[in-house]
Amino acid sequence: MTIIITGGAGFIGSNFIFYMMKKYPDYRIICLDKLTYAGNLSTLAPVMGKPNFRFVKMDICDREAVYGLFEEKNPDVVVNFAAESHVDRSILNPEIFLETNIIGTSVLMDACRKYGIGRYHQVSTDEVYGDLPL
């Protein structure tokens, strides 16, 4: 089983990677992260040398690069943790939220459709899902 995990250098994504590698040591894990303010490569230090782990610095909005990775690695599952999530940052630059949270998500879903990926998990922010009525 090959899993692409986006946003895996962030707090939640990296902990998911650690969990998956411990629970499923025979799975191949590919972490795709742009390494923005939320991602820190040193977070992944415990798994960087593992033979079944690969880190790829990439923007999920880069359709050509994402398609190339999917074609090369033929993943079975995609888990998307990549998202802009700091509300105060969205006030300063709302376009980056649209790019990552909407366009990037669309690129990943299009790649899943194009390459026949049977399972896609979206873990994101209200900028993708919208707010919850109370």
Side-chain angles (χ1 to χ4, degrees):
M1 174 87 55
T2 299
I3 303 175
I4 290 179
I5 300 170
T6 68
F11 176 75
I12 298 171
S14 62
N15 280 283
F16 180 72
I17 288 171
F18 300 150
Y19 168 81
M20 291 299 289
M21 292 191 71
K22 183 175 182 179
K23 183 161 176 85
Y24 304 102
D26 57 329
Y27 284 14
R28 289 187 323 148
I29 305 291
I30 300 162
C31 172
L32 187 159
D33 201 297
K34 187 177 175 183
L35 296 178
T36 63
Y37 65 90
N40 185 342
L41 193 54
S42 66
T43 304
L44 296 170
V47 295
M48 287 299 272
K50 305 270 184 187
N52 61 330
F53 178 79
R54 178 176 172 206
F55 176 80
V56 178
K57 184 176 180 184
M58 183 183 296
D59 184 347
I60 62 170
C61 295
D62 184 343
R63 185 175 299 272
E64 186 177 318
V66 169
Y67 282 14
L69 183 67
F70 275 56
E71 192 166 320
E72 175 190 345
K73 297 301 179 184
N74 193 27
D76 301 290
V77 176
V78 174
V79 182
N80 181 23
F81 288 97
E84 304 293 335
S85 59
H86 293 213
V87 173
D88 50 343
R89 294 176 72 96
S90 72
I91 294 167
L92 296 173
N93 187 0
E95 289 83 13
I96 197 155
F97 281 72
L98 294 172
E99 290 169 8
T100 302
N101 298 2
I102 306 299
I103 303 301
T105 299
S106 175
V107 167
L108 290 172
M109 291 179 7
D110 288 347
C112 286
R113 190 171 340 126
K114 179 174 180 165
Y115 293 99
I117 310 309
R119 187 168 296 246
Y120 174 91
H121 293 281
Q122 178 67 30
V123 183
S124 192
T125 67
D126 63 337
E127 285 84 8
V128 171
Y129 290 121
D131 58 355
L132 296 173
L134 298 176

